[in-house]
Each structure stands twice: as structure tokens, then as C-alpha cells.
Amino acid sequence: MLSNPVVISIIVLLTLSLLRINVIIALVIAALTAGLYGGLGLTKTIETFTGGLGGGAEVAMNYAMLGAFAIAISKSGITDLIAYKIITKINRTPTSNNLAWLKYLIFGILVLFSISSQNLLPVHIAFIPIVVPPLLSIFNRLNIDRRAIACVLTFGLTATYMLLPVGFGKIFIESILVKNINLAGANLGLQTDVAQVSLAMLLPVIGMILGLLTAVFITYRKPRTYNVLVEEPTTKEIETHIANIKPKQITASLIAIFATFATQLVTSSTIIGGLVGLTVFALFGIFKFKESNDIFQQGLRLMAMIGFVMIAASGFANVINATTGVTDLVQNLSSGAIQSKGLAAFLMLIVGLLITMGIGSSFSTVPIITSIYVPLCLSFGFSPLATVSIVGVAAALGDAGSPASDSTLGPTSGLNIDGKHDHIWDSVVPTFIHYNIPLLVFGWIAAMYL
């Protein structure tokens, strides 16, 4: 396994990232490593990498539009108004007990936001650059460790689609997981359904819940002070600013948000949804049509990093798929060298972790591993429920904790507005520890005892 080009490239990617090398640079170097070690040669590797960049262009465009939409919402003042209400509450009730309750109330609200972004209003990470930046001053006043916020947000973004067959969960569970498992198991007597998949994923998600509680109440419970170079506005200054917010602006924000979400649901396009929202803001006079260039440029600055990382990740995934590394990883498990049922389950989960971190998408991992994992699980005597759990967890592993996953890039985009939140050490490492490790443990338990 250690001689596999996928494994080596992921080790290179993670090592460079942990050394604080820019993620895009790390992805390019890791792609070159995979291509050269996988026998593609330099010219072919470069061609494959650049040929795959277009796969991330749509995602980058989505994030650029969402960035512009976030800027328009901030101009309306609705997020400032929410932040003001919380700040005034802090100033009126400064006791430590009240502040502690407020802190955990914020955690709870953010969990609900992130869960809802996957099903009730399936906008994925679009809500983060809208909701989180205005709250940063509140996080600072409460001395909240932003690593806890990153874990809270990533939990909702990943655990939800694994368990609930609604929104993105419907796509993952019904359209991808059930479809591929039934296809692979058609001649082996294994058929599953949505209810069975949700049941099989319940135990691994409980592991993620324990990871979330550990992050919030133990690992990142202690206050953390951030050295803010820009002086935060006083309550009086905020009151003056809030006084200038007109009811029309709040109305425009609510209509724009509803119109954006509704359009996205109907068209399945974040770009069109964001465009409709921006049009509503312009029609209400929040900004003039001739100012749209400035709005879009500010949006690009807000979301540029995440967009370019996703583009580079698409090129990296294209190189990975062009080598035989992924196929070799999966097929090596069925070589017959593994005799232990427990070891087989563990290695299948580890391989899933490596593939997902390499490709960057749990949704794309299922078709790759299912054709081998289903017959392999049945040959080792795993129950149908255990088989479903192994395939589902193996695919979901690596989504949280990957430098190129939008489940970590999203939280960073909101928490690093002031440059005080490092993507790798404050988003990737915390979520990897608190979610991938529990998923490995509880996924293995599910495989052995379901």
C-alpha cells in the first residue's frame, strides 16, 4: 500500500499542508508526484492535470456568485442587526453563567444552520460567508475558540447527508449509495433500500456526535484570545450604524434570501439562484446596477481561495484517476492475502479514507469502491447491514479533514475573514481528529456487530 501512487501523493499533500504550504501549491506538487510515480511521465501528468481543471470551474463560479450575494446581504445590514442584538445582550448580561449559555446557544444555532443547509434549504456551504463573518466580533468578545466553530459547521455539513435521505442526503443515500450497492449486489443476492442505509449509518454518525461533543466541551472548551489588529466598533458606534438601517433593507434581504433559495431548488443552480438574489437587492436599491462590478469583485476576493482550491483539486483528482493507483488499492483488498475479518473491515475503511481525501468527494468515491467492496464483504461473511455500513463509511471518510474538501474550505471561508483562522491547523486538523477517527472506530464496530 505504501508504494501506491495515490497513497504517496496524499502523504505529500498532507505533509506540505501541515508545513503551511499553500493548499493549491500542495495540490499541484501532489498531482505531479502521483503522475510521475504512477508512470504517466511529466508531459502526460501536466496535460492530465490541466485537463481536469475545467471540472472545478463550475464550482468556482458558484462560489464567486455566492461571494457576491454575501457582500450584497452585508450591505443590506440584516447581519449587522443580528450581531447587534447579540452584542447588546452580552453587554446587558455580562455574568459568566449567561455568557456560557450564550456561547453554547450560538453553537446550537450554527449546528441547525449547517444541518438545514443540507436538506431543509439545500444551499450547502453558501450560508457560511453570509452568517459567520458578522458574528466574528461576538466570537472574539466571548473568547470562543474558532476551531470549535469549524467542528460545529463541518459536523452539520457531513453527518447530515450520511444519515438523512433529504436534500444532499437523498442524492448520497438514494441516488448513489443504494443504486451502486444494488447494482454490485444484484447477482449476489444483496439488495438494500434507503431505510436500511440510514440504519446502517446511525452508529457511525453517533461516533461523529461524540466527536462534536468532545470538540465543543473538552478539546476547545478553554477561552482563546485572538489578536485583532483592527479595532472593533463600540456598541455606540454599532447603534449609530443600526439606526441607519431602514425597514426596506430588511425586507429586501428576506425577499432576496427566499428568492435565491427557491430559485436554487427549482433550477438546481447556485449561479442562477445567486443572480436572482443580486437582482432583488438591486431592484430594492441596496446597490445600484452600475455598482454590480464592485459587488462581484468583492465577492471574488471573499471566495477566491476556496474556488481556486476546488479547481486545483479537480486537476489533482484527474491525475489520480489517470493512474492505476485507485484501482490497485481497491483490488489489492480482494487478493486473498487478508484472512482476518476484522482486519479486512479496517483496511477497507482506510482505503476509503485515502481515496476520498485524494479525490476530494465522498459522492465520487462510492462508484469506485462498491464493485469490489460488496462481493468482498459478502465473501468475508459480513451481514447485508454491515456491508452497507462499510461501503457508506468508507466513502464518507476523508470528507471532513481533507484540505481540498468544501466541508473544511467552507468553514474556513467564513472564519478567516480577518486572517486569524488557519485552514489546515484550525479547520482540517481539528475536523480530521474529531470526525475521521470516530468514523473509523464506530464504522469498524458497525461492520463487526451489525
Side-chain angles (χ1 to χ4, degrees):
M1 184 179 291
L2 291 178
S3 62
N4 188 284
V6 174
V7 177
I8 292 175
S9 66
I10 292 172
I11 292 174
V12 169
L13 171 62
L14 296 180
T15 301
L16 293 176
S17 297
L18 291 172
L19 292 174
R20 299 183 186 274
I21 304 297
N22 181 272
V23 177
I24 297 175
I25 296 175
L27 282 167
V28 174
I29 295 175
L32 290 173
T33 303
L36 293 175
Y37 197 81
L40 296 181
L42 181 60
T43 302
K44 181 65 176 177
T45 299
I46 295 174
E47 290 177 354
T48 305
F49 179 80
T50 54
L53 296 180
E58 181 181 354
V59 177
M61 184 62 185
N62 284 336
Y63 291 148
M65 186 63 74
L66 292 176
F69 184 63
I71 295 297
I73 284 186
S74 67
K75 283 184 174 294
S76 74
I78 189 172
T79 48
D80 292 329
L81 183 61
I82 295 173
Y84 168 70
K85 295 294 184 182
I86 299 177
I87 289 173
T88 52
K89 183 174 179 60
I90 294 174
N91 292 336
R92 289 173 188 170
T93 56
T95 66
S96 58
N97 187 49
N98 285 333
L99 293 181
W101 275 107
L102 181 59
K103 171 182 174 180
Y104 293 116
L105 175 62
I106 291 174
F107 287 158
I109 291 173
L110 290 177
V111 165
L112 292 177
F113 264 119
S114 57
I115 290 175
S116 299
S117 72
Q118 301 300 297
N119 43 58
L120 184 61
L121 293 170
V123 295
H124 199 36
I125 65 170
F127 77 97
I128 296 177
I130 297 171
V131 173
V132 172
L135 299 177
L136 290 181
S137 62
I138 297 168
F139 298 162
N140 292 339
R141 292 187 184 212
L142 294 174
N143 293 323
I144 294 176
D145 193 325
R146 296 185 193 179
R147 291 173 293 183
I149 301 291
C151 289
V152 165
L153 294 172
T154 299
F155 171 82
L157 295 174
T158 53
T160 306
Y161 75 73
M162 292 171 57
L163 183 65
L164 302 177
V166 184
F168 287 102
K170 180 179 177 65
I171 297 172
F172 180 73
I173 294 176
E174 183 177 330
S175 302
I176 298 179
L177 206 51
V178 170
K179 179 182 177 181
N180 282 277
I181 290 176
N182 287 343
L183 185 65
N187 298 323
L188 302 171
L190 174 63
Q191 294 291 286
T192 188
D193 54 35
V194 172
Q196 192 175 37
V197 170
S198 292
L199 180 61
M201 300 299 277
L202 180 60
L203 189 58
V205 170
I206 289 175
M208 292 190 70
I209 294 174
L210 293 178
L212 172 66
L213 296 176
T214 301
V216 170
F217 292 104
I218 299 176
T219 315
Y220 306 122
R221 177 181 59 85
K222 292 182 179 179
R224 185 178 184 184
T225 303
Y226 290 85
N227 183 24
V228 181
L229 300 179
V230 179
E231 187 176 349
E232 295 178 356
T234 64
T235 304
K236 187 174 182 180
E237 291 172 338
I238 295 174
E239 287 176 347
T240 303
H241 174 65
I242 295 300
N244 295 323
I245 297 177
K246 301 175 182 178
K248 182 182 76 169
Q249 295 172 258
I250 305 301
T251 302
S253 297
L254 296 176
I255 294 176
I257 292 171
F258 176 80
T260 298
F261 290 161
T263 303
Q264 181 176 327
L265 289 175
V266 173
T267 64
S268 299
S269 172
T270 304
I271 297 174
I272 302 301
L275 181 61
V276 169
L278 288 173
T279 303
V280 171
F281 279 122
L283 291 174
F284 272 86
I286 303 303
F287 67 88
K288 297 178 181 179
F289 278 106
K290 64 181 181 180
E291 295 175 342
S292 60
N293 191 44
D294 292 334
I295 295 291
F296 204 81
Q297 285 182 355
Q298 292 179 54
L300 280 175
R301 285 196 292 269
L302 179 65
M303 301 295 282
M305 182 61 183
I306 185 172
F308 278 108
V309 169
M310 297 307 291
I311 289 174
S314 180
F316 174 65
N318 205 41
V319 174
I320 290 295
N321 289 327
T323 70
T324 60
V326 172
T327 304
D328 292 342
L329 271 179
V330 176
Q331 291 184 342
N332 283 342
L333 292 173
S334 58
S335 62
I338 304 170
Q339 301 299 322
S340 168
K341 185 177 179 181
L343 179 60
F346 179 74
L347 288 178
M348 280 189 278
L349 294 174
I350 288 292
V351 168
L353 170 66
L354 294 172
I355 293 174
T356 304
M357 293 192 75
I359 295 177
S361 170
S362 56
F363 286 55
S364 301
T365 302
V366 175
I368 296 174
I369 65 175
T370 308
S371 59
I372 296 294
Y373 275 29
V374 169
L376 184 61
C377 286
L378 295 178
S379 69
F380 272 101
F382 288 107
S383 70
L385 206 59
T387 300
V388 171
S389 181
I390 289 174
V391 175
V393 174
L397 269 166
D399 194 357
S402 170
S405 169
D406 48 11
S407 296
T408 55
L409 287 164
T412 299
S413 70
L415 293 168
N416 194 41
I417 293 297
D418 57 1
K420 299 299 178 182
H421 184 88
D422 183 75
H423 176 57
I424 299 301
W425 289 102
D426 294 334
S427 286
V428 173
V429 173
T431 56
F432 185 94
I433 292 172
H434 290 91
Y435 297 134
N436 283 333
I437 293 176
L439 275 176
L440 276 172
V441 173
F442 281 79
W444 185 86
I445 293 173
M448 299 302 294
Y449 297 104
L450 284 181

